[in-house]
């Protein structure tokens, strides 16, 4: 039996649309806006996820440009922990 949670791999973050990040992780704990980037930070019990989004003129969307997973937890475990509260939304 497979666990009922979204399997988010670290490599799936590259180029992820802002809307997809919102669906997977919910609202960020912190938002920073600059002239060319918007940075979102998610804080979990054992790690932090920071995603820098930039505007892509190719598909007219905000896309993840750079991501950082900080903390002692493994990257996969960190993403699982951060996405778990939003699993129902992600599976729709």
């Amino acid at each position: 039996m497979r666990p009922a949670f979204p399997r988010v791999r670290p490599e799936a973050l590259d180029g992820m649309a802002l809307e997809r990040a919102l669906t997977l992780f919910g609202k960020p704990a912190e938002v920073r806006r600059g002239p060319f980037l918007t940075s979102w930070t998610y804080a979990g019990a054992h790690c932090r996820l920071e995603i820098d989004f930039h505007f892509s003129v190719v598909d007219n969307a905000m896309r993840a440009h750079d991501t950082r997973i900080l903390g002692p937890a493994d990257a996969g475990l960190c993403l699982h922990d951060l996405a778990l509260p939003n699993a129902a939304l992600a599976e729709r």
Side-chain angles (χ1 to χ4, degrees):
M1 185 170 192
R2 299 187 89 160
F5 63 87
R7 294 191 181 273
V8 183
R9 295 184 201 157
E11 58 270 12
L13 298 174
D14 295 333
M16 178 182 284
L18 182 139
E19 292 81 11
R20 178 71 175 144
L22 189 59
T23 299
L24 288 174
F25 304 114
K27 292 181 180 180
E30 181 182 345
V31 176
R32 293 181 314 278
R33 290 181 174 83
F36 301 106
L37 289 175
T38 296
S39 299
W40 285 7
T41 301
Y42 293 94
H46 306 289
C47 64
R48 289 172 53 97
L49 169 63
E50 297 176 355
I51 307 173
D52 293 338
F53 295 96
H54 74 283
F55 184 75
S56 170
V57 294
V58 173
D59 38 24
N60 197 30
M62 295 293 285
R63 297 272 176 194
H65 171 70
D66 189 25
T67 58
R68 294 168 298 286
I69 299 172
L70 311 166
D74 171 72
L77 181 60
C78 176
L79 295 177
H80 166 69
D81 286 345
L82 292 172
L84 188 59
N86 298 296
L89 288 174
E91 291 176 351
R92 290 183 187 168

